[in-house]
Every structure is written in structure tokens, then in C-alpha cells.
Amino acid sequence: MEKKKKVIEVEINKEFCKACSYCVDSCPKECLVMGEELNSTGYNFPVFVNQDDCTGCGACGFLCPDIAIEVYEVL
Amino acid sequence: MRCTNEEVISASPLRVFCILLLEEDVLQREVSKGRKMEDNNKDLRRLISGRPKCFMIAGSPLCAGCQHGTISRIIGEVIDDLGIVGKTIAVGGVGCHSMLVMSASKFDLTTALHGRAPALGTGIKRGTDGKAIVFTLQGDGDLAAIGMGDLINATVRGEKLTTIFFNNAGYGTTGGQMAPTTLIGQTTTTTPSGRSPDTGGFPIHVAELMAGLAGVAYSARCAVNTIAQYKRTKKAVRTAFQKQIDNIGYGFVEILSACPPLLKMRPTDARKWFEKHMFAEYPLGEFKNVDETKIQYQVET
Amino acid sequence: MVEKALISGNEAIGYGAIYADCTHYFGYPITPQNELIEFMAREFPELGRTFVQAESEFASINMVCGAALTGVRAMTSTASTAFSLMQEGISGIASMELPCVIVDVQRGGPGAGSTQHSQMDYLLATRCAHGGYKNIVLAPFSAQEGFELTQLAFYLADKYRIHVILLSDGLLGQMYESVELKKLEFPPLPGKDWAMKGCAAHNYERTFIHNAPGIIGSYYDFMKRSKEKYERIKEEEVRYETYEIEDADIVLVSYGSTARAAMEAMYRARKEGIKAGLFRPITLWPFPREAINKMTEDKKNFLVVEDCMGQMIEDVELAVEGNAVINLVGSMDRNLPTGSGMILSKKVLEKIKSFG
């Protein structure tokens, strides 16, 4: 039986982000990249680009120092 | 003096303009309903990582890349897991370390004078007849310099408290001066040519020191650079709280926390610097984990 | 029947704390208040109350702060040298507006000074540490009054949400007197709904009491609230006693144990035909300034008796507004100008006679 693939949602609160890029560093599957767009305080925030590879390990959400990332598994 | 969360954020010393970012009604709802608020989408999706339930939706007043934020969230997650938000009282020392907890926590919180958090915690613990779960948030200036006596004597007195020690190898709030934990050779604003043992002394290893004290039930040093370290840290913080809940003894966790402005580096470089230098000076690990505090000798009376 | 006991002034304060339902005591040994911490160590655990010997006065005052945060009646006691140590903690308590009682059994200074009696902390107690806050200062002059003022101190602390300093001294603390042990009745107090007991106690709304009114929240509100509180205390809580004041030509002003020497001198002067009277402030802050000012209408001679180089005399000078002559009987007039000396009534009488 084929294992059902988990659907993961990564919500990035761009206004809380301070562009430390710890999330990009910590992602084992390189699903996040730092974007070009700036938030209202002048930081460029990460963008979730690779939903297919994301395993939902939650590392980006765990290591984000600004609590700007939330990782959800869609049930 | 009681004040609303908005006031806290708007007036935080680091002046991050997170007040503009708050969704007013969301915040109000969170505050009023507190812990009882359930995730609206609970049935539809499961939170893997993100904001702990005992934190309000608020921006962090800390600098970019400051790992204090990650540690604060670990504390929040542990409090959620243990289900003690209703009886937890946090005592923040002087420094950056308690800022995120101050602006976001839903549990009770107070601030201590510089270095006096364990003494204040003692008062709170005794004042509530030991019913409250009291933990102190302290930085290396607060704990290892001015407050060393308070910490050691609190453990000697057999207090059942928990201390989370944020070690960032310098004074962050005051602008990057030398702390007792600063590495030999490290440049700070008060050691412009690097800390020298002749004039500046030696780094202090608090977790090892705490392990040698009779009243301490748990002592560990952790970090939050990688996800593996994160999980070990969470376990350590949880154990340190558990020692207090089980009334065994003092729980102590030292956590290495990179401070990019102190090192004048980009966040990722600061993290690498920590891995290279701090981990060499301060080995990670568990130094003490006992289930009862020992009495070595007793005079018959 | 009222219970009577022969106890020292220090123990009287301890009994006062017990009768005032103080439940938490934190202290550190220092002469001459040791009888008090020893009394508390004996009595408090037996009554199921909390006694903690701290490692320093830094710690004991911060423990009081922590306990007061949770809404219990907490106190500490110390003597001059360590009262200085406590100042930062007391300032912290003032910023959090916590009710508690701090007993200062004065000894000689500066520095380690002497272990004997003195009254050299007047300015420190009434003018306070950094930050421009105020605190109520009560000064007993007998063991009985020490017992009663301790109960009053806890009531005032809770009434105004302020810390109260009980300014005793070495002589008073070590002196044994018969004390009537009786619980005083006070009007009902408002509940401590601000107390920190975990957010479950407040329907999961967090309580945040902090010591940085200038960083967090509105500094203006804090200052306004403090000022209103201080004004109210100044209006309502001034306490003093007068003896033979109506027809007096010369008014002695004295507090604490020295007031006893002054009182004896006053009565001896009266026997010799000199019309002397005694004015004894009980609250050193708020100082009975108006009462003294009113006396200057017909009394022009004031003699301040205090065992220091002149501290309360500053308040008296402010009160008389230049309308009277003020002289001092101070530490230089001790019977022996050494650590063990004290002001005797004989010397005060001499000064009364030579006034002018």
C-alpha cells in the first residue's frame, strides 16, 4: 500500500521576521530561500518554495528566534 | 504595577516596532481567553512547530538572530507540555534574556533586581507555600557576575526552583562588554585587545559548578544551533522543571545562545563562531541528574 | 485578661509581627537586632509560619519582595550597616509598590561604626535611596509602642500598598520592659487582587508586576499615582505625641529611645521651674511639620535631642521656617564619646538650662 504523503503548510509571518536566515540554514531539504521582498521594518524574509520536498520536520519553526514560522500538517 | 501587553511592547528598550504589527483583535481575544483559547483549525491541521500556546501573538523585541528567542520558545513549549501555565511564575533578571517572555507570555511574570532573581524566586515560592512553579531567567552578567552568590545560596538553602541561564559570552543589553563567561582572547568593548587571563581572568563554567552543589538535582549545558541540540535542550529544560514539580531540588540549565551584535557578525556567522569557539570552552552535556538530594553527614541531636 | 510579658524591645517587635498575622520573615543576623531574628526562628515555625535565614541582606530584602508579591504579610529586620545594603532592594520594592515591613534597629556608623545604639539612620530612612520614592517611617520609644507600631505598620502597608520602615534603635532593642500583648483592631482593608499567584488565580489573565516603571508602561502614570499616594499619607497618617507642651517656653524634639532621656530631663527642668515641654514625632515620614510650625506662634526655643550629629534637626529647621532658635543635643553630648556612650538626661538638662 502506498504511503500517503503528508501535506505540510509553512506559514511565515513576514512582519515578525528579522532575516537571520537560521530557517534557511536549518532546512535539510532546502525548501526555504531568502526572498527579495522587504517587510515593513526593512528585512527580507524567507519564502517557502519547495512544498513537495518538505517532510514536516519542523526545524525552521523550532529554530526561528522570532517565532515567525509555524509549520502545520494538514490532516 | 500592572500593564497591558501593548504597553510592554511599545515601550520595550530595543524599540522594535512590533506594536504596528499586532492584529489588535487577535491579541485581545488571546489575552482574554488565555490558555483556554483553542486553535480554531484544530481538527483540520496539526501544529508541528511554532508559537507555544502560552505565548501571545507578539513580535520579539530581540535583535536579529538572537537565540534567546528560540530558548524562550523552548520554555514556553515545556510549560505547555507540563500543563503548568496556570501556576507558573517567571522571574526575569536584568538583561535581554527575559524580553521575549516579558512581551509574549501568558503566565505570571515579575522582574528582579540585577542578580537577585533566585532570592526573589525564593520569596515567591515560600509566599505561595511551594504551590507555584517558579523559574528564573538569567543572563551571564546577571547570574555569573552580580548574582553568583544568590544562585549558589539558593541551591544551598535547598530551594526548589528552576533557573534557565542564557550564556552569550558577554553583556548584550549594555552594548557588548566583557562578562565572566567571555572567552579568553575574545574582543569586547571592555576588552578591546581580547580578554587576557592576567587582567580579565578566566571564563566561568557555571553548569559544572552547579553540579557540585548538594541542593542541585539537575544541571546541564545545552545549545540551540541545530535541531538535535534543540531537542536535547527541550528535554533538559523539561527535566529541570520536573525536578521542581517533583519537589526534588534545584533544576539548572545553561544554554549557549549566540548574540550577533556582541560579536559584530551576521547571525549565521555568529552561530558558526559559537560552534567553533564556545563549544570548545563550554562542553555540552548533562552534569548532574539525581532523584534525591544527598545528606553526607548529620549530627545527632 | 490581657497577657503581659517581660520582653526586650526586639522581641516586642517580633510579637507585634505575630499579632499582625505576618506569615513570612526573612532575616540575616546583625547586632543589635539578633534577638529579633532568633525570636522569629523560635516562634514562626511553631506557628506554621515561614522563617528563612538568608545569606545576606541583599537576599533577605529580595525575598521579602518576592513574598510580598504573592500577597502575604512579609517582613525583615536589620541594623544600620545592612540597612544600607538593603537600599537597592527597598527601591525595587517601592517601584513595585509592595506592602511589607522593614525593621531597622539602628547602630553606630558610618561603616561598621559601632555595635551600640545610635540614631544615625534618620536621613537614610526618611529620605530613602535612589529614585525619589517615599516610605512611611515609624519610630517607637518603648517596647510597648514597638509592639503596637509593628501592628500599625502592617496595616498601613496594606492600606496604601507601600513599604513601612520601623526605625528602632539598639538601646530600645536590648531593653527589657513589660509589654501588654493585645491585638489591635483596624478598619477593614481592600483585598489584594493584584497579588501574583499564577495566572489561574486571575482567570488566566497574566499578572505582570515589574520594577521598571520608566521602561515598561507609562512612567507618568506611575509618578502620578505615587504622588497622590504620598499626599494622602501626608494628610492622614501624621502621628506625634506631646508632653507638657501648652505652657512650655522651650520645646524638646526627640524620637525613639532618646525621647526617654529627653522626657526625664523635661520633667526635671519643670521641677527646677523651667517650663519645658516634649514633642515626640512617631511618624518620621510624614514628619509632623505643620504641628511644629504651629507651635512657633508662641514658642521660640527648640532643642532637638537625637543621638547623631544632627539629622532630624534638618526637618525641624524646615518646619519652624526660621521662626525659632534651634539647638542640638547630639552624639557629641554622650556621657562618653565612645562606642558605648549614650545621651543621659543630665546632659539634656544642662543644655536646657544653658539654652540661648
Side-chain angles (χ1 to χ4, degrees), chain C residues 2-283:
Chain C
V2 180
E3 197 186 343
K4 267 196 166 188
L6 182 69
I7 49 177
S8 72
N10 281 336
E11 285 169 338
I13 292 172
Y15 272 111
I18 289 173
Y19 276 69
D21 297 328
C22 166
T23 52
H24 288 69
Y25 174 89
F26 306 90
Y28 184 81
I30 181 170
T31 309
Q33 64 85 47
N34 294 324
E35 290 80 7
L36 183 48
I37 184 172
E38 286 166 3
F39 173 85
M40 293 301 203
R42 270 197 317 272
E43 302 293 331
F44 261 41
E46 275 192 15
L47 294 165
R49 305 184 189 189
T50 305
F51 166 86
V52 180
Q53 181 173 335
E55 71 272 16
S56 67
E57 285 84 0
F58 293 132
S60 62
I61 191 70
N62 282 287
M63 286 176 194
V64 168
C65 178
L69 266 172
T70 64
V72 299
R73 281 192 162 175
M75 76 179 282
T76 182
S77 63
T78 187
S80 304
T81 329
F83 188 57
S84 294
L85 275 186
M86 283 189 179
Q87 291 306 315
E88 190 203 18
I90 297 175
S91 187
I93 287 172
S95 69
M96 294 181 172
E97 302 175 78
L98 298 177
C100 61
V101 174
I102 301 142
V103 180
D104 178 15
V105 184
Q106 297 175 86
R107 63 186 253 184
S114 79
T115 54
Q116 309 289 329
H117 148 92
S118 94
Q119 292 183 320
M120 296 175 182
D121 297 352
Y122 179 90
L123 285 178
L124 184 58
T126 55
R127 304 303 195 262
C128 313
H130 77 278
Y133 62 92
K134 291 286 180 194
N135 44 229
I136 299 174
V137 184
L138 301 173
F141 89 132
S142 66
Q144 179 71 43
E145 202 180 39
F147 170 73
E148 285 166 9
L149 286 187
T150 309
Q151 296 183 56
L152 176 71
F154 278 103
Y155 167 73
L156 292 179
D158 283 349
K159 182 178 174 189
Y160 293 102
R161 206 180 148 180
I162 197 170
H163 59 286
V164 179
I165 290 170
L166 199 70
L167 200 63
S168 173
D169 53 58
L171 205 61
L172 206 58
Q174 309 278 323
M175 192 168 60
Y176 278 74
E177 280 191 304
S178 173
V179 176
E180 265 189 17
L181 300 176
K182 192 181 148 208
K183 191 176 168 114
L184 301 184
E185 295 300 326
F186 295 106
L189 287 164
K192 293 183 179 178
D193 57 345
W194 49 265
M196 188 176 271
K197 288 172 179 156
C199 65
H202 290 104
N203 198 18
Y204 291 98
E205 190 182 332
R206 83 161 174 183
T207 307
F208 180 25
I209 301 175
H210 58 82
N211 59 18
I215 300 174
I216 307 162
S218 161
Y219 208 178
Y220 179 81
D221 285 353
F222 170 79
M223 291 190 284
K224 186 164 169 274
R225 197 169 55 244
S226 301
K227 186 157 178 10
E228 280 166 5
K229 187 194 290 182
Y230 301 153
E231 292 300 327
R232 219 178 110 209
I233 294 170
K234 272 187 194 171
E235 263 172 37
E236 295 175 17
E237 301 303 341
V238 175
R239 284 173 169 77
Y240 58 90
E241 266 184 5
T242 57
Y243 307 85
E244 311 292 338
I245 211 82
E246 289 76 19
D247 61 340
D249 295 327
I250 177 167
V251 180
L252 278 65
V253 185
S254 187
Y255 76 96
S257 64
T258 320
R260 299 165 77 111
M263 192 186 283
E264 196 190 330
M266 183 264 291
Y267 284 118
R268 281 169 69 179
R270 286 213 162 240
K271 271 185 194 161
E272 295 182 24
I274 305 167
K275 281 181 182 169
L278 172 66
F279 184 93
R280 184 173 70 85
I282 294 171
T283 52

Side-chain angles (χ1 to χ4, degrees), chain A residues 8-9 11 15-16 18 20-22 25 40 56 58-59 61-67 69-75, chain B residues 21 44-51 55 58-60 62 64-67 69-70 73 224-225 227 230 267-268 271:
Chain A
I8 305 298
E9 281 179 9
E11 285 183 7
E15 295 298 351
F16 285 176
K18 299 201 190 89
C20 66
S21 74
Y22 288 174
D25 271 20
S40 64
F62 284 126
L63 293 179
C64 174
D66 295 301
I67 326 187
I69 302 180
E70 291 187 339
V71 183
Y72 292 95
E73 183 192 350
V74 178
L75 302 172
Chain B
L21 320 176
L44 302 175
R45 53 185 197 170
R46 181 179 69 89
L47 184 71
I48 296 169
S49 64
R51 184 171 297 275
F55 276 17
S60 157
L62 300 164
C66 175
Q67 291 183 324
T70 312
R73 225 205 33 251
V224 285
N225 273 11
I227 193 70
Y230 177 94
T268 39
R271 222 160 58 146

Side-chain angles (χ1 to χ4, degrees), chain C residues 253-322:
Chain C
V253 185
S254 187
Y255 76 96
S257 64
T258 320
R260 299 165 77 111
M263 192 186 283
E264 196 190 330
M266 183 264 291
Y267 284 118
R268 281 169 69 179
R270 286 213 162 240
K271 271 185 194 161
E272 295 182 24
I274 305 167
K275 281 181 182 169
L278 172 66
F279 184 93
R280 184 173 70 85
I282 294 171
T283 52
L284 301 182
W285 193 92
F287 191 74
R289 196 173 284 184
E290 277 170 27
I292 291 181
N293 188 273
K294 216 173 164 210
M295 283 196 296
T296 59
E297 283 169 12
D298 57 339
K299 303 174 209 313
K300 300 293 175 195
N301 298 321
F302 285 79
L303 187 63
V304 176
V305 188
E306 54 174 339
D307 201 350
C308 62
M309 306 296 281
Q311 299 192 5
M312 188 173 67
I313 194 169
E314 290 182 6
D315 271 335
V316 180
E317 277 167 357
L318 283 171
V320 302
E321 292 174 354

